[in-house]
């Protein structure tokens, strides 16, 4: 995860890591890869939000988790997190270089969500979804990120019972939840 942060987000992670950052990176990586609950409390401005959003992107692009849920203190806060992730997927050229099977179909939308329904790759629909509260990455055979889902909810919104029917017929439920508490000092990452 540290290498991912440094390689694909050098503009965000340009300062030297502190010992606390390195501990957080290790805990995030462990939670994503092996499961568990991880709460991150650090001072305002220390990169909590950027690290947790980057962790969501990392887990999506490598297929570590197939359903990511972003929970904000309010629904508006959750929508802002999703918008931030979508912006990175649209404009981050570092990601495009190594994950073209995900990023190129997103760039082809040119910000026009109506193009999702008609997008094809080798004659098959990509089934990409790009709405204000949901993102489904393109379904591309051989891609680890094929069909990964991201949804948002406010802390008081409906989270229980959330599921998604994939193109292959399987129903999946959230397996990675990124939550932001009412105070901006605490963020948590939960792998179910």
């Amino acid at each position: 995860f540290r290498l991912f942060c440094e390689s694909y987000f050098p503009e965000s992670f340009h300062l030297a890591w502190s010992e606390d950052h390195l501990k957080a990176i290790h805990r995030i990586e462990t939670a994503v890869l092996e499961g568990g609950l991880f709460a991150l409390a650090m001072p305002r401005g220390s990169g909590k939000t950027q690290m947790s959003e980057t962790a969501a992107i990392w887990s999506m692009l490598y297929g570590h988790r197939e359903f990511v849920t972003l929970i904000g203190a309010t629904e508006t806060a959750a929508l802002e997190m999703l918008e931030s992730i979508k912006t990175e997927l649209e404009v981050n050229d570092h990601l495009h270089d190594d994950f073209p099977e995900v990023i190129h179909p997103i760039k082809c939308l040119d910000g026009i969500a109506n193009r999702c329904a008609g997008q094809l790759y080798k004659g098959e629909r990509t089934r990409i979804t790009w709405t204000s509260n949901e993102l489904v990455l393109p379904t591309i055979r051989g891609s680890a990120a094929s069909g990964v889902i991201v949804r948002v909810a406010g802390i008081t919104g409906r989270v229980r019972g959330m599921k998604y029917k994939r193109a292959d017929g399987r129903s999946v439920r959230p397996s990675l939840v990124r939550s932001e508490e009412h105070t901006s000092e605490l963020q948590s990452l939960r792998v179910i």
Side-chain angles (χ1 to χ4, degrees), residues 113-181:
N114 290 342
R115 291 184 176 165
C116 291
Q119 190 178 75
L120 302 174
Y121 174 72
K122 294 187 176 180
E124 293 184 31
R125 287 184 49 213
T126 63
R127 299 190 178 279
I128 189 171
T129 301
W130 192 269
T131 66
S132 64
N133 63 351
E134 181 179 74
L135 165 62
V136 179
L137 296 181
T139 300
I140 305 288
R141 192 177 319 228
S143 169
S146 184
V148 169
I149 304 108
V150 183
R151 280 202 186 141
V152 300
I155 196 82
T156 60
R158 180 182 161 262
V159 178
R160 290 177 51 104
M162 200 180 275
K163 68 178 185 172
Y164 182 81
K165 186 78 153 195
R166 292 177 52 98
D168 62 8
R170 291 184 306 122
S171 288
V172 293
R173 295 192 180 271
S175 60
L176 177 67
V177 178
R178 188 260 189 204
S179 175
E180 179 181 76
E181 302 301 326

Side-chain angles (χ1 to χ4, degrees), residues 85-100:
I85 288 171
K86 287 166 62 177
T87 298
E88 286 292 352
L89 295 174
E90 280 185 298
V91 304
N92 187 323
D93 289 332
H94 304 294
L95 292 174
H96 185 268
D97 292 343
D98 288 342
F99 302 95

